[in-house]
Amino acid sequence: MMYKLLLVEDEADVREGLAWEIDWASHGFQVVDTAENGREAAELFERQIPDVVVTDIQMPFMDGLELAAWIKERYRSTKIIILTGYDEFEYAQKAIKLHIDEYVLKPFSSQELVEVLLKVRRQMDEEQAEKENVHVLKEHYRKSIPVLKGLFLSQLVTRSMADEEIREKCGSYGVELTGRSFMASVLRVDYVHQDEGAVKNHSEAAFSLKYSEDRYLQLFAVLNVAEEIVSRHGGFSVFIHAEDCVLLTASPDPDAELAAQQTLAVLDEIRLSASKFLKLTLTAGAGTVCAKPGEIHQSYRKAMQALDYRLILGNDRVIWIADIETERTDPLNFDELQEKSFIRCLKVGTPDELDALLDGFFNGIQAGQLSVQECQVYLMEILACVMKVAKEFGVEPDHLFGEGAYPFAEIYKYNHIGDVRRWIGGICRKLMGFIVQGRQTGYNLLVESAKAYIQRHFRDSDLSISTVCSHLHISTGYFSSIFKKETKTTFVNYLMHIRMEAAKEMLRSSDMKAFEIAEAVGFSDPNYFSFCFRKQFGLSPREYRNGNGGVEIR
């Protein structure tokens, strides 16, 4: 493995000698850059993120220990090797506190530095090997299994999953979900609404789970009861999701009616046991029976709908959706997963992705046994998503649907579902175009606002990317990527350019001294201003002024 290295040394001959005398690659290092002082090194560090920094201890603007402190505060894993002729105890103490990895005393030979580098490399190799250690990963995975199992079960009841993915995760997390009939049910603890004073006067109120305000304590108590009961029956598993207990049925029997009756019996047993041992009343909602585990989320949705009938039928009972609703064999629903996929596509997708998504939606309409009313509701849900995204991006409905048009009424103008598909597709592509155009305009406005702010405040020595982002109310990471994309340079380089151009103008047209100009363009250190000016233009401020017709200051 090749490690990236940054070499920092203010003496040019030493710096260049080290860069050329040592065969860095043969020792596993790549010198990604060199710097002649700590401040320049800090700027280069942000761009390269090296694994190792070799730095002199005594440098202008920012010495080696200050640079080391700056690095360790931000990148703890970076290894630091100090080059110094100062071996006094005072410096040794500082180096220890800063967790300096190695130091080399001047004068030193190339071989001495190589030996230290190899020592540091061995340490980094060992750290890398430890990260990749299979036993460590296996132990971490083992400890994570309960969390991953819970996440998987929650996903199983809330979204569509491929059968292969379900089988793989069941095997990994020890979930038994093999069978020919599947079903989801929801157990919810009934809320107790009782006069507070009466509860306080109750002799067991302080110790009663029934009157506890801790819903999760009640939920875990129900889970324990449910787990004990399902352990006596095959084909059931129970877990907590949101604020409910969920019971999954995986019956080997292909008879849907039989699988449902077995589930209803287990639910009733859990309900009665909770009442007897926990003094809690439960209401259970039982969903539909499905033939594949990948359809369990549909059964769960129906179980939640069954639970809603508590308001009509009362609580402390088992409610099966099939008893109160006529179930169609192939229901069509514009569910949460479809809505999220559609909204994401409208915001950042491609025309091909949009067509594939809409084809899936409309193929379902054509294949399903829908009434006219159900079809209209489905289409309105799709249109509602379009209008929600349009509102988010400030796109007026008239720009999408035409002046004075009422989108939901437009559906009734078409005689065939294929015509509606083409109409909605055109509206979606138009919206995606508005979003792309608006996003680009927003980027331009953002960058122009930043430039204007920099122009007004570049004289402030405390001006930073954080200051600008605070003014614009955006994150530094988001701003940096947009600024570089739009201006083809970084914020630091742009700010330096503005300050240097202002300095040039002052040198040409005023009699201000160099240190006064430094302060006027945002430099708190005149020496660093001179250094940056020379680096930018190849001349000192005085040389530039004398060579460009400026007022010479003696």
Side-chain angles (χ1 to χ4, degrees):
M1 179 176 178
M2 193 71 70
Y3 294 104
K4 296 192 294 183
L5 183 144
L6 175 64
L7 183 59
V8 190
E9 169 60 63
D10 64 331
E11 295 181 32
D13 55 343
V14 176
R15 184 175 65 252
E16 293 169 4
L18 289 175
W20 289 103
E21 289 175 15
I22 297 176
D23 184 2
W24 299 94
S26 67
H27 300 302
F29 293 94
Q30 175 193 1
V31 179
V32 293
D33 223 325
T34 62
E36 58 186 281
N37 62 67
R39 190 171 295 178
E40 184 181 15
E43 295 178 2
L44 293 172
F45 192 100
E46 291 283 298
R47 288 184 234 156
Q48 302 290 354
I49 314 297
D51 303 296
V52 181
V53 174
V54 177
T55 178
D56 189 15
I57 201 169
Q58 187 177 26
M59 297 179 295
F61 308 123
M62 179 189 285
D63 66 30
L65 292 183
E66 290 173 330
L67 174 63
W70 182 90
I71 293 172
K72 286 299 183 180
E73 182 181 350
R74 293 162 177 80
Y75 302 90
R76 293 181 178 276
S77 61
T78 300
K79 304 299 179 185
I80 299 176
I81 300 173
I82 292 290
L83 308 177
T84 181
Y86 297 87
D87 56 348
E88 289 89 357
F89 182 70
E90 173 187 357
Y91 282 90
Q93 276 188 315
K94 289 185 179 179
I96 291 170
K97 287 181 180 178
L98 290 170
H99 302 290
I100 303 301
D101 299 278
E102 291 292 336
Y103 68 92
V104 179
L105 294 177
K106 293 182 179 180
F108 59 88
S109 65
S110 299
Q111 185 56 38
E112 287 177 317
L113 178 56
V114 167
E115 289 174 1
V116 171
L117 286 167
L118 292 177
K119 181 179 178 182
V120 169
R121 184 191 168 186
R122 285 192 296 272
Q123 183 182 351
M124 290 191 294
D125 287 343
E126 290 171 2
E127 291 173 355
Q128 185 67 23
E130 184 178 353
K131 290 178 183 177
E132 299 172 355
N133 187 288
V134 175
H135 296 294
V136 173
L137 292 177
K138 282 185 175 180
E139 179 63 17
H140 178 70
Y141 179 72
R142 184 187 66 78
K143 292 179 179 178
S144 301
I145 282 180
V147 176
L148 295 173
K149 177 181 177 180
L151 180 61
F152 161 60
L153 291 172
S154 292
Q155 290 174 335
L156 189 65
V157 298
T158 53
R159 69 175 179 88
S160 177
M161 297 179 69
D163 290 343
E164 182 60 35
E165 181 184 3
I166 292 173
R167 282 193 293 271
E168 179 185 336
K169 290 187 175 180
C170 281
S172 299
Y173 307 144
V175 177
E176 184 59 41
L177 202 63
T178 56
R180 302 175 69 181
S181 297
F182 303 89
M183 187 173 175
S185 306
V186 180
L187 289 150
R188 181 168 296 173
V189 179
D190 294 327
Y191 284 93
V192 177
H193 301 283
Q194 190 166 343
D195 179 73
E196 185 179 354
V199 172
K200 287 183 179 179
N201 293 331
H202 197 284
S203 59
E204 297 181 1
F207 306 100
S208 174
L209 189 63
K210 180 177 181 178
Y211 299 107
S212 172
E213 295 181 359
D214 190 339
R215 294 286 293 176
Y216 284 98
L217 179 61
Q218 295 175 336
L219 199 57
F220 277 104
V222 172
L223 178 67
N224 288 332
V225 170
E227 285 178 333
E228 194 277 326
I229 291 172
V230 301
S231 67
R232 301 197 299 267
H233 303 274
F236 296 97
S237 56
V238 64
F239 62 96
I240 291 176
H241 172 65
E243 293 191 6
D244 300 311
C245 279
V246 178
L247 179 74
L248 294 184
T249 304
S251 173
D253 201 311
D255 188 332
E257 182 68 24
L258 181 58
Q261 293 304 322
Q262 291 172 342
T263 300
L264 296 176
V266 170
L267 288 171
D268 210 41
E269 185 178 353
I270 295 172
R271 183 184 65 84
L272 293 172
S273 295
S275 177
K276 180 179 180 180
F277 299 109
L278 304 176
K279 309 304 179 186
L280 295 174
T281 61
L282 306 178
T283 302
T288 51
V289 179
C290 50
K292 298 179 180 179
E295 298 170 348
I296 285 176
H297 70 289
Q298 296 176 358
S299 179
Y300 173 79
R301 179 175 52 80
K302 288 296 183 181
M304 293 294 286
Q305 289 179 13
L307 208 53
D308 290 338
Y309 279 87
R310 288 184 307 167
L311 295 173
I312 300 171
L313 302 176
N315 61 350
D316 192 17
R317 65 179 64 230
V318 176
I319 306 172
W320 185 24
I321 194 68
D323 287 336
I324 50 179
E325 290 185 0
T326 302
E327 183 64 38
R328 187 169 50 250
T329 56
D330 187 20
L332 183 64
N333 297 286
F334 192 71
D335 59 29
E336 184 180 358
L337 180 63
Q338 289 173 307
E339 181 180 349
K340 287 182 177 179
S341 298
F342 189 38
I343 290 175
R344 186 209 65 80
C345 184
L346 290 173
K347 290 181 177 181
V348 297
T350 64
D352 288 341
E353 288 176 327
L354 173 67
D355 285 336
L357 208 56
L358 290 177
D359 285 342
F361 295 163
F362 282 81
N363 288 341
I365 294 175
Q366 293 170 335
Q369 301 174 355
L370 301 178
S371 67
V372 174
Q373 291 79 11
E374 288 172 317
C375 179
Q376 290 169 349
V377 169
Y378 187 80
L379 293 173
M380 287 179 182
E381 288 177 325
I382 294 174
L383 271 181
C385 279
V386 174
M387 297 181 72
K388 183 190 298 184
V389 174
K391 181 179 180 182
E392 181 180 342
F393 285 88
V395 180
E396 293 295 331
D398 286 355
H399 295 160
L400 285 180
F401 302 102
E403 188 174 351
Y406 185 66
F408 296 113
E410 292 294 307
I411 295 173
Y412 296 95
K413 295 180 180 179
Y414 298 96
N415 298 318
H416 190 268
I417 197 67
D419 296 332
V420 180
R421 158 70 177 84
R422 284 186 286 275
W423 174 67
I424 290 182
I427 295 297
C428 291
R429 281 188 286 275
K430 190 184 293 185
L431 174 58
M432 291 165 72
F434 280 125
I435 291 173
V436 170
Q437 182 181 356
R439 186 176 287 129
Q440 188 57 50
T441 302
Y443 289 167
N444 293 339
L445 290 173
L446 182 68
V447 170
E448 289 304 315
S449 296
K451 286 182 176 179
Y453 187 86
I454 293 169
Q455 286 287 356
R456 292 195 304 270
H457 298 278
F458 72 88
R459 298 172 182 81
D460 184 357
S461 61
D462 293 327
L463 180 64
S464 67
I465 190 170
S466 298
T467 311
V468 176
C469 290
S470 177
H471 170 72
L472 298 174
H473 305 291
I474 57 174
S475 69
T476 55
Y478 178 72
F479 172 77
S480 295
S481 61
I482 291 176
F483 191 89
K484 189 170 184 179
K485 180 181 177 182
E486 294 295 314
T487 64
K488 311 303 180 189
T489 188
T490 65
F491 168 85
V492 171
N493 289 341
Y494 182 83
L495 177 59
M496 184 64 72
H497 171 73
I498 295 297
R499 286 171 167 168
M500 290 295 104
E501 289 300 313
K504 282 168 57 179
E505 179 59 27
M506 291 181 187
L507 287 167
R508 287 194 300 264
S509 61
S510 77
D511 59 355
M512 295 171 65
K513 294 182 172 56
F515 74 88
E516 293 174 325
I517 293 176
E519 183 177 1
V521 297
F523 284 84
S524 57
D525 185 343
N527 293 329
Y528 187 60
F529 163 73
S530 297
F531 167 82
C532 292
F533 192 97
R534 180 182 288 278
K535 186 172 183 179
Q536 186 89 359
F537 303 114
L539 300 169
S540 71
R542 178 182 290 274
E543 291 168 343
Y544 179 85
R545 166 174 272 159
N546 294 339
N548 284 274
V551 180
E552 183 175 358
I553 305 301
R554 298 184 181 277

